[in-house]
Amino acid sequence: MGAVLARDFANLEQEQLQLLCLDTKNQVIKRQVVFQGTLNSCPAQPREIIKVALTTPTARVVIAHNHPSGDVTPSKKDVEFTKRLQLACELMGLPLLDSFIIGVNDYFSFAEQGVLNCNTDS
């Protein structure tokens, strides 16, 4: 999924956060830009992401945002936000499967790097 997202985010000059709503077979049923930011920030809020997800018959979610600089290293704020969102999603019974940071030719997956504890049993 990261490679597909990297291609889609390739030419964006501002940070953007997208929500991908998945069905029970992890197929994307909705993809929506939830926040549009600036060159180096995207002030996202978990409640807005969850609000969009709850209006869709989704089983689980994935989020992705880009770093126009090309550096996919997560900032401290990226890590804190992802952990807050995961907790909020868990409270709503909506698993957050992954959070991607997309660069120019690369991506960072919080799940692949063990930052998220993914549980799809919900």
Side-chain angles (χ1 to χ4, degrees):
M1 184 178 282
V4 171
L5 291 167
R7 187 178 60 239
D8 293 348
F9 278 97
N11 297 316
L12 295 178
E13 295 177 357
Q14 295 177 311
E15 282 199 23
Q16 186 179 89
L17 186 139
Q18 292 187 13
L19 170 67
L20 291 82
C21 296
L22 310 177
D23 64 15
T24 57
K25 296 181 180 179
N26 291 341
Q27 300 299 309
V28 177
I29 56 175
K30 183 176 187 172
R31 183 172 171 180
Q32 180 173 328
V33 174
V34 183
F35 291 94
Q36 181 76 37
T38 63
L39 183 63
N40 61 358
S41 77
C42 189
Q45 294 295 325
R47 68 178 168 265
E48 298 301 324
I49 293 167
I50 291 170
K51 178 181 169 184
V52 172
L54 291 176
T55 63
T56 304
T58 185
R60 43 193 70 95
V61 295
V62 170
I63 61 166
H65 80 279
N66 64 316
H67 283 177
S69 69
D71 181 2
V72 297
T73 305
S75 68
K76 183 178 177 184
K77 285 184 179 183
D78 290 332
V79 174
E80 289 171 356
F81 174 78
T82 298
K83 288 182 177 184
R84 275 186 29 234
L85 178 61
Q86 182 180 31
L87 179 59
C89 285
E90 284 176 7
L91 290 171
M92 298 303 296
L94 185 68
L96 174 64
L97 288 189
D98 208 343
S99 175
F100 289 95
I101 298 174
I102 309 299
V104 177
N105 295 312
D106 201 6
Y107 70 91
F108 179 92
S109 163
F110 281 75
E112 288 175 11
Q113 297 303 316
V115 179
L116 286 179
N117 301 325
C118 298
N119 180 2
T120 59
D121 295 338
S122 298

